[in-house]
Amino acid sequence: MLTKDLSEPPRRNLVGLGRDALAAEMAKFGAEPFRARQLWHWIYRRGATDFAAMTSLSKPFRDRLAARYMLQRPAISSALASVDGTRKWLLRFADGEEVETVHIPEEDRGTLCVSSQVGCTLTCSFCHTGTQRLVRNLASDEIVGQVMIARDALGEWPSPQDDRQVTNIVLMGMGEPLYNYENVAAALKIVMDGEGLSISRRKITLSTSGVVPMIRRCGAELAVNLAVSLHGVRDDIRDRLVPLNRKYPIVELLEACRSYPGASNARRITFEYVMLKGINDSPADARELVRLVGGIPAKINLIPFNTWPGAPYECSPDAAIKAFSDIVFAAGYSAPVRTPRGRDILAACGQLKSASVRVRRGERPPLPAA
Ligand code: SAH
Ligand code: SF4
């Protein structure tokens, strides 16, 4: 039988440490400050997975690092590729929990859809992720690790300046990023660092179901692009679709959008709107939507509902989506209909982690405070 030496301290993961945290850790380790900069380069620019590869460091120093630290990414439980080129990775963390990350290649860009939580505590009635029983926040290394896994799989080390396959990042995977703000912020600061993964804030979009107080903080501290899951134009409908609306109703949400720093015609706020047959897809809804977003530099993203086993809704017919889009467009807003990508591998919006069991609301764990 194998026995573990319990006197040995656990090795700390260096992946996920920001610049200051890495510098502090190296100071504690007795290394000179420039060592932290060298490590940063190896971890985030070169994508090293092993201290042995860090050839600019002496062998004895590498050995000492390896005895005390690790460079751990999430494990890949499965990797799927869609006929349309979309790829999806199911990733497993040390505690056995899993999330999904999706890469969507397009002509002029490649977007990585990143998860921020295992499951989601918000119970939007059209979203499959919101029906998962197990919920926890991802740590910063588990968020950055998703980007690093994609770079590994796409052969993108050292971080390329041009011709990238991961040009954009959207926090639109599993979870509500503004309910895990600290870890998301720490991870995004690493992702945005010009000497590391080097993906500019202009290419990063955070999607929220409307956690109003955190929208302000996100704008002030991260200034990434904002996407807001609106989905309903009256509080009674939105209360049913996005229950968080009962806490932060539509007027408050739109007020936070109006004052979002950096929002301009060049950097519009995206309003996501899932098209649900007979629920929110009438011409009157479209007109009300236009009225609501008046004065906000906005674009509207219409998302055909992607179904999942047991879903209580149907997708609006094409003609209704077209009519809705025409009204929004005629009012001067861009209103593209999001083409579902990777449906065959259950990688489209709201389909992530479809293997999990639907649970009834009463069986959920209590919600943590926002
Ligand atoms: N929690 C965040 C981000 C993750 S969801 C949020 O809600 O904004 C990313 C987008 O997919 C959101 O706009 C969400 O409302 C949408 N979505 C969820 N389930 C969907 C489904 N079944 N079909 C289409 N879009 C869905
Ligand atoms: Fe959570 Fe977003 Fe799904 Fe709502 S739509 S349950 S906030 S992941």
Side-chain angles (χ1 to χ4, degrees):
M1 194 175 82
L2 283 175
T3 52
K4 209 171 163 207
D5 181 358
L6 295 174
S7 61
E8 218 177 90
R11 288 182 304 151
R12 181 165 190 201
N13 192 12
L14 292 184
V15 174
L17 296 189
R19 269 190 189 270
D20 293 348
L22 186 60
E25 188 63 38
M26 282 303 103
K28 223 166 60 188
F29 189 60
E32 293 170 77
F34 78 97
R35 294 291 182 206
R37 290 196 295 276
Q38 285 179 312
L39 270 170
W40 182 272
H41 177 88
W42 279 110
I43 299 170
Y44 299 120
R45 167 73 77 185
R46 308 285 293 264
T49 53
D50 193 341
F51 294 104
M54 301 183 175
T55 46
S56 59
L57 309 179
S58 73
K59 173 91 171 58
F61 185 58
R62 282 183 264 156
D63 291 344
R64 275 182 59 218
L65 284 170
R68 178 73 188 81
Y69 299 109
M70 4 178 235
L71 297 169
Q72 198 178 51
R73 314 251 212 272
I76 300 178
S77 277
S78 72
L80 294 173
S82 160
V83 289
D84 70 13
T86 301
R87 294 170 73 162
K88 179 172 94 165
W89 296 279
L90 176 64
L91 303 179
R92 194 177 55 247
F93 304 116
D95 65 354
E97 293 301 339
E98 294 183 319
V99 298
E100 289 176 324
T101 307
V102 178
H103 179 251
I104 306 147
E106 287 172 272
E107 202 112 298
D108 55 343
R109 68 174 112 175
T111 303
L112 192 70
C113 181
V114 168
S115 294
S116 56
Q117 297 182 307
V118 175
C120 185
T121 52
L122 298 171
T123 48
C124 301
S125 51
F126 55 87
C127 174
H128 196 225
T129 305
T131 66
Q132 255 181 265
R133 177 194 289 271
L134 281 167
V135 178
R136 76 162 169 83
N137 282 336
L138 296 190
S140 63
D141 64 303
E142 295 170 331
I143 300 169
V144 175
Q146 296 174 58
V147 182
M148 298 173 86
I149 289 273
R151 282 259 169 97
D152 291 346
L154 298 165
E156 296 223 291
W157 299 113
S159 297
Q161 292 305 315
D162 315 298
D163 267 349
R164 292 176 169 182
Q165 296 189 74
V166 179
T167 55
N168 293 54
I169 297 214
V170 293
L171 279 135
M172 294 186 185
M174 297 164 64
E176 168 50 58
L178 295 187
Y179 266 10
N180 184 19
Y181 179 78
E182 300 295 341
N183 294 338
V184 165
L188 288 184
K189 283 179 187 158
I190 294 172
V191 169
M192 294 190 286
D193 190 290
E195 287 168 36
L197 294 161
S198 194
I199 297 175
S200 137
R201 66 185 70 232
R202 291 174 185 282
K203 304 277 185 190
I204 299 176
T205 302
L206 182 148
S207 175
T208 179
S209 57
V211 189
V212 166
M214 300 310 289
I215 290 179
R216 301 205 173 98
R217 200 164 156 205
C218 173
E221 292 176 8
L222 300 174
V224 293
N225 300 311
L226 184 68
V228 170
S229 295
L230 191 60
H231 305 319
V233 291
R234 293 199 326 260
D235 281 324
D236 59 339
I237 302 267
R238 193 164 189 269
D239 282 352
R240 270 167 57 203
L241 299 178
V242 184
L244 187 65
N245 193 67
R246 293 182 201 139
K247 199 163 175 188
Y248 306 115
I250 294 174
V251 271
E252 287 180 27
L253 176 57
L254 293 177
E255 199 38 54
C257 294
R258 264 192 194 93
S259 49
Y260 192 73
S264 65
N265 275 339
R267 287 189 82 194
R268 293 163 206 268
I269 293 177
T270 303
F271 288 93
E272 295 160 285
Y273 197 94
V274 64
M275 299 300 297
L276 303 170
K277 182 177 173 183
I279 306 283
N280 63 356
D281 60 350
S282 72
D285 289 319
R287 287 191 290 272
E288 179 60 5
L289 175 60
V290 167
R291 195 189 67 77
L292 282 177
V293 300
I296 303 175
K299 54 187 172 193
I300 316 292
N301 209 328
L302 301 178
I303 316 175
F305 172 63
N306 289 306
T307 195
W308 36 269
Y313 300 107
E314 282 175 68
C315 183
S316 307
D318 288 350
I321 300 180
K322 168 88 174 55
F324 197 103
S325 164
D326 286 349
I327 293 171
V328 177
F329 186 74
Y333 295 94
S334 145
V337 179
R338 192 182 287 176
T339 319
R341 296 289 304 265
R343 265 185 175 167
D344 55 337
I345 55 167
L346 290 178
C349 301
Q351 291 187 313
L352 298 186
K353 200 66 213 299
S354 280
S356 65
V357 188
R358 183 173 167 77
V359 288
R360 273 179 287 119
R361 227 155 262 209
E363 294 172 346
R364 305 182 134 272
L367 302 188

